[in-house]
Amino acid sequence: MAGTPTSPDTEAAVEAALGKLDLEAKTRLLAGQDTWSLPALPEIGLESLVMSDGPIGVRGVRWSADDPSIALPSPTALAATWDPELARRAGTLLAQEARRKGVHVLLAPTVNLHRSPLGGRHFEAYSEDPYLTGLIGAGYVNGVQSGGVGTTVKHFVANDAETDRFTVNNLVSERALRELYLAPFELIVENAHPWGIMTAYNTVNGTTMTEHHHLVNEVLRGEWGFDGYNVSDWMAARSTKGAIEGGLDVAMPGPKTVYGEALARAVRDGEVDEATVDGAVRNVLRLAARVGILAGAEPVVAEPPETVDGIELAREIARRSFVLVRNENQALPLKQGTVALIGAAARDARVLGGGSATVFPSRIVSPLDGLTAALPEGALSYAVGADPNTELAVADKGFELRAICRDADGQVIGTASAPNGQIQWMGTDLPEGVTHDRLHTVELTGTFTPRESGPHTFGIKGLGAFGLTIAGTTYFDDVQRTDKDDPFEAFFGAPVPCAEAELTAGEPVDVSLTYVVVLPEDVPMKVISFALAHQEPQRDPDELIAEAARAARAADTAVVVVATTDRVESEGFDRGDLRLPGRQDELVRAVAAANPNTVVVVNSGSPVELPWREDVAAVLLSWFPGQEGGAALADVLTGAHEPGGRLPSTWGSLTDAPVTRVLPEDGELPYDEGVFIGYAAWEKEGRTPAYPFGHGLGYTDWTYESVEVQGSTVRVRLRNSGTRAGREVVQVYLAPAEAEAGAERPARRLAGFAGVAAAPGESVEATVELPRRAFEIWDEKTASWSFVKGSYEIQVGRSIDDRRVTTTINV
Ligand code: BGC
């Protein structure tokens, strides 16, 4: 099975292979040969090991739309299903995608915690709760590995925000580490036996994570028995001796790393023990054996598993993830009648978050597409209302662009696709026939067909020398610079407006953006990263909102889709606030004033403030719903399926949120709140969020009848007291009656949950096993887990705030 240790035969094959390698070969194997792979070693029958992001699809080794990948809903959405089995099925699909693309190891899942709602990469992690995170992560890992593909649980550990992520020193107590940040990793190691882990960019308590002997060698490997490989986050490895002795097996990407020749030299000079190198090589060979690329070793999964229908599964996960947080007078499902669909994101769907999690799906179903297909002809109208893009966005609407590579003489040496007007070529990931030595310029060229007339703004994202020509006029011929030191700044930075051109709707114009390639010699990896950015003519925003309100007034129901943008939620930076960008709040208010039957769909990967939430009939959170999001939305709005999600994190305003800080001071970010993050912090501060952890409505009602505990098993009886079949997520919280002297404990914690389905009137039993860990705290004095005896209330319900039945136990 995927989740068990390797057999003695495999270990023997690994030892035999290791015995045949000399120091040079061993150290070469521990260093990326390029951006995504390790070198093959034909002398031992080892093929090159290929890795790829993760987590919602499998991008493959190229940043290109030429080889599309399924795009599943964002990890927050997967966690909102509260269903580890569904996460496992997502994993099986991703393994299928990985096998199709020749990928052996997926760089996922991300199991850092939602410590502050400002975390820019929040959408890519699961929850504020370590137990929910660990169980969803374990399901995912089990699924991927059951397809014979490795996982890399990341980012170990405390990479919970993006600000100064390469250098920040997170100061975290051992207790908070154990009870919160390490806990999901530990649960996954225990329940899914992952074949890999990725160590983070950040420092924890003074030691950078790629050199953290204590957390990697002592805790992860020593205490938990992890036997997979440990790969650095991309460019995170800093020193040869520190990294190898700190338990880092593989330094990525290559070819220039702290391993390879540098590591061989350190061994020859007596600075590093060869036995330490052997340990790392053993871990890589074991991984290779598991995924089936080491001759003489049986792969864990010999036969590819049954084919999964990716489109169907993407749609199922999306609708199971949508969280209906408000539904006054049963506004949903929609009654018959006309619908005014409003919002830029209803037409230009935002299906995934930005950064390394980006994949390029072969199709995207927008809310407009989904509802057009589901509603009778003539029932649907559409208005933009307000554009969330307050700055330039990727050039993805109306652009037909390709990249042309030329040498210094102007000869074409290769071409490639340029999805969304973006070029992101890392290391040797260059178009066919192109080498860094010969490459002199890259030109993004093609046409743009505007969908609206008026002044269109164009801009450039990237650093270096650029030329921008639109419809024959050159608007920019200069150099763009930055003072930031993130090596990926060209990718994550803001686009700069450079041209305004008056264009006519429907009339294509030529577009050309040329970049002169000048890359510093002394970098670990050559990255060519730039993009064309664009903004449509800005119509009078008041007029747009008035137009939307008119459309809403004329319809039976108004459905407004509000969204964040890739300048708000992305890897590489944190958020400044939790507001919806642009004038979307005003839009919702105007629509709600025009039509009391207003349903708001919130298309964001993580919490946003919803100041108008009491003024609308229904609020449905759709996360970044993946490529089939629009179809799933139609399923849920029309009532063909109920929305199945429950909040994996608390949603509230920034002013009320108890833990928000992501900005380091003098390079340090103290986690002063200790073990109180998420709901535990909201409860401690006595503050009421907009929507509590675990909250989410379906289309039926549930009556909780009884709870009893036998040993560690909690049995809950509940009845579907509504009028249609449904699924409920039964949540079990454990509340210590009194806190152990000296140890501050949260008022209650999630101790377990179970999904049950029932027909109308039917009564069902949910069973939940209470894990021993729920009764333990980390004792810093003895540096061990301490079981806290005493009286506990078992509280069972629909969210942390909606507790329906309780019982007391003494342990
Ligand atoms: C991200 C990782 C990702 C890696 C490779 C890094 O910047 O932090 O999550 O796997 O890049 O794309």
Side-chain angles (χ1 to χ4, degrees), residues 82 128-129 647 650 678-683 689 691-696 731-734 746-750 795-804:
W82 288 60
E128 67 191 19
D129 182 78
L647 282 180
T650 311
Y679 57 79
W682 284 87
E683 290 209 306
Y691 298 112
F693 178 78
H695 175 64
Q731 303 163 33
V732 177
Y733 295 90
L734 186 71
R748 72 202 98 247
R749 291 217 74 100
L750 180 71
Q795 307 170 334
V796 185
R798 313 202 64 199
S799 79
I800 193 150
D801 271 4
D802 186 359
R803 306 185 290 271
R804 299 287 178 94

Side-chain angles (χ1 to χ4, degrees), residues 36 53 59 107 110 121 124 154-155 159 162 165-166 198 201 233-234 356 426 488 492 571:
W36 304 112
D53 292 305
R59 192 174 56 246
L107 302 172
T110 303
R121 216 174 165 179
E124 202 187 310
K154 67 189 186 182
H155 310 83
N159 182 182
E162 291 294 279
R165 62 181 176 153
F166 280 82
M198 182 190 287
Y201 291 124
D233 199 346
W234 266 226
S356 63
M426 313 224 283
F488 296 113
F492 294 123
E571 179 182 337

Side-chain angles (χ1 to χ4, degrees), residues 217-461:
N217 290 333
E218 294 178 354
V219 177
L220 172 69
R221 291 198 188 278
E223 290 179 31
W224 305 345
F226 171 71
D227 69 356
Y229 88 129
N230 168 13
V231 61
S232 70
D233 199 346
W234 266 226
M235 297 200 207
R238 294 155 217 233
S239 78
T240 302
K241 184 175 161 67
I244 197 77
E245 292 183 349
L248 183 74
D249 301 322
V250 173
M252 286 299 287
K256 242 181 144 185
T257 75
V258 297
Y259 285 175
E261 182 43 37
L263 181 56
R265 211 177 316 120
V267 173
R268 274 189 247 109
D269 293 351
E271 279 173 39
V272 167
D273 199 342
E274 189 161 352
T276 312
V277 174
D278 286 352
V281 174
R282 214 172 262 127
N283 293 333
V284 175
L285 292 176
R286 187 179 301 117
L287 172 68
R290 285 172 161 158
V291 301
I293 57 167
L294 179 63
E298 250 321 277
V300 176
V301 178
E303 283 296 307
E306 263 176 50
T307 308
V308 183
D309 181 339
I311 288 190
E312 258 316 303
L313 185 58
R315 183 167 173 169
E316 181 184 345
I317 295 172
R319 63 186 178 235
R320 289 279 310 278
S321 77
F322 293 165
V323 184
L324 183 58
V325 289
R326 177 180 171 87
N327 196 18
E328 290 302 288
N329 306 320
Q330 300 189 328
L332 288 179
L334 294 173
K335 314 290 169 297
Q336 286 197 338
T338 53
V339 173
L341 181 63
I342 294 162
R347 180 181 59 182
D348 304 322
R350 175 144 159 82
V351 300
L352 48 79
S356 63
T358 305
V359 294
F360 302 99
S362 59
R363 67 174 216 174
I364 286 176
V365 183
S366 70
L368 182 56
D369 300 331
L371 280 173
T372 304
L375 296 181
E377 225 178 298
L380 189 68
S381 67
Y382 173 73
V384 170
D387 191 346
N389 286 300
T390 50
E391 20 177 314
L392 301 178
V394 289
D396 61 347
K397 292 162 216 102
F399 290 86
E400 298 272 344
L401 298 173
R402 276 197 81 73
I404 313 279
C405 301
R406 294 192 177 84
D407 65 12
D409 301 328
Q411 290 286 329
V412 174
I413 54 174
T415 69
S417 83
N420 306 339
Q422 258 181 325
I423 295 297
Q424 176 74 5
W425 298 335
M426 313 224 283
T428 46
D429 166 18
L430 289 171
E432 198 74 34
V434 178
T435 58
H436 280 291
D437 289 349
R438 284 188 70 198
L439 182 61
H440 183 256
T441 56
V442 181
E443 184 191 6
L444 270 184
T445 176
T447 58
F448 168 56
T449 311
R451 57 183 180 190
E452 287 183 38
S453 298
H456 286 252
T457 312
F458 297 84
I460 303 168
K461 180 159 118 164

